[in-house]
């Protein structure tokens, strides 16, 4: 699963994603927690890595589930750094003026081979998460996987770089973004995705994907 955004980006605070982020454009600058400013046409940011994307007049941003073929396939072609430069050919693909859905289909078709295996217990928890994000989703997914909540949290961090609870928040934010892209109000989108209120959704969106609701309204998946 993925979420994509094309357009200008405003300033945002330091945050980390449960998803893997790919971003490309004419002038992309990313700050990391050590104080480095990384400038270049395209970057991959692994899940769980805190960073800040500086404002840019035009960019293409993709957030892909850490366990997805898309994320694992692209990361397999890159250096293992937490924030790694994208190869020029991938930057060119991301910045083409195709419809977002067509672009994403083409990206996924170009990826070779099969995914690296995911622990079957974690895979069971992720399948459950596709069906339930409301209520205590972590406890329900733990029961579905046969693991304790603490063991599921540790296993998720080992495989994806983030605890399972962060994957739950990413799923909820993604559901809200999709609802807004279909025309739902911020209040309705937050309610449908399981957030307590509009303020809760806004705070979580900033923490989880670094986008404002206005920017997320332009997202497509």
């Amino acid at each position: 699963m993925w979420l994509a955004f094309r357009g200008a980006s405003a300033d945002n605070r330091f945050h980390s994603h449960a998803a893997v982020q790919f971003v490309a454009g004419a002038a992309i600058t990313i700050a990391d927690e050590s104080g480095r400013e990384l400038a270049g046409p395209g970057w991959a940011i692994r899940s769980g890595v805190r960073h800040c994307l500086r404002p840019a007049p035009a960019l293409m941003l993709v957030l892909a589930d850490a366990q997805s073929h898309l994320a694992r396939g692209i990361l397999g072609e890159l250096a293992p750094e937490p924030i790694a430069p994208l190869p020029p050919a991938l930057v060119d693909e991301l910045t083409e003026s195709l419809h977002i859905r067509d672009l994403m289909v083409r990206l996924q078709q170009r990826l070779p081979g099969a995914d690296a295996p995911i622990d079957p217990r974690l895979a069971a928890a992720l399948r459950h998460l596709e069906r339930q994000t409301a209520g205590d989703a972590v406890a329900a997914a733990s029961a579905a996987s046969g693991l304790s909540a603490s063991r599921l949290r540790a296993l998720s961090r080992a495989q994806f770089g983030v605890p399972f609870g962060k994957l739950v928040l990413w799923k909820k934010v993604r559901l809200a973004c999709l609802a807004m892209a279909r025309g739902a109000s911020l209040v309705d989108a937050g309610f449908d995705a399981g957030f307590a209120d509009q303020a809760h959704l806004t705070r979580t969106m900033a923490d989880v994907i670094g986008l404002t609701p206005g920017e997320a309204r332009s997202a497509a998946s």
Side-chain angles (χ1 to χ4, degrees):
M1 297 292 184
W2 52 267
L3 189 72
F5 164 79
R6 178 187 282 144
S9 69
D11 202 5
N12 59 77
R13 62 189 180 187
F14 275 91
H15 62 283
S16 64
H17 305 290
V20 177
Q21 177 176 313
F22 306 106
V23 58
I28 305 298
T29 301
I30 296 172
D32 69 11
E33 282 198 302
S34 73
R36 292 188 306 162
E37 296 271 339
L38 306 171
W43 298 94
I45 304 164
R46 294 176 183 268
S47 54
V49 175
R50 288 184 60 79
H51 64 284
C52 178
L53 178 63
R54 300 305 187 197
L59 54 73
M60 177 67 185
L61 185 152
V62 176
L63 294 165
D65 282 0
Q67 73 273 18
S68 68
H69 182 67
L70 176 65
R72 293 158 79 90
I74 293 177
L75 290 178
E77 300 176 358
L78 305 180
E81 284 88 354
I83 303 176
L86 295 177
L90 183 52
V91 171
D92 289 345
E93 284 192 74
L94 286 170
T95 52
E96 283 193 42
S97 56
L98 293 174
H99 188 280
I100 286 178
R101 284 188 176 277
D102 294 336
L103 173 61
M104 297 305 297
V105 167
R106 195 169 77 175
L107 279 176
Q108 293 176 86
Q109 288 175 340
R110 71 182 281 277
L111 296 173
D115 292 337
I118 296 173
D119 186 288
R121 297 165 297 176
L122 182 54
L126 291 168
R127 286 193 297 272
H128 185 85
L129 186 56
E130 292 298 327
R131 299 188 296 272
Q132 177 188 345
T133 55
D136 193 344
V138 174
S142 298
S145 69
L147 295 171
S148 66
S150 61
R151 180 58 187 142
L152 180 60
R153 184 184 308 115
L155 189 58
S156 175
R157 188 182 292 279
Q159 289 228 258
F160 302 137
V162 293
F164 195 80
K166 189 112 183 186
L167 295 179
V168 173
L169 292 178
W170 153 240
K171 295 289 185 184
K172 292 175 70 171
V173 165
R174 182 176 175 275
L175 289 173
C177 288
L178 294 177
M180 287 190 289
R182 292 191 296 267
S185 69
L186 185 58
V187 172
D188 288 342
F191 178 80
D192 290 345
F195 289 97
D197 52 37
Q198 180 176 331
H200 184 204
L201 169 60
T202 300
R203 290 194 305 272
T204 305
M205 192 174 293
D207 289 338
V208 172
I209 63 175
L211 295 176
T212 67
E215 291 170 330
R217 188 176 292 278
S218 300
S221 183

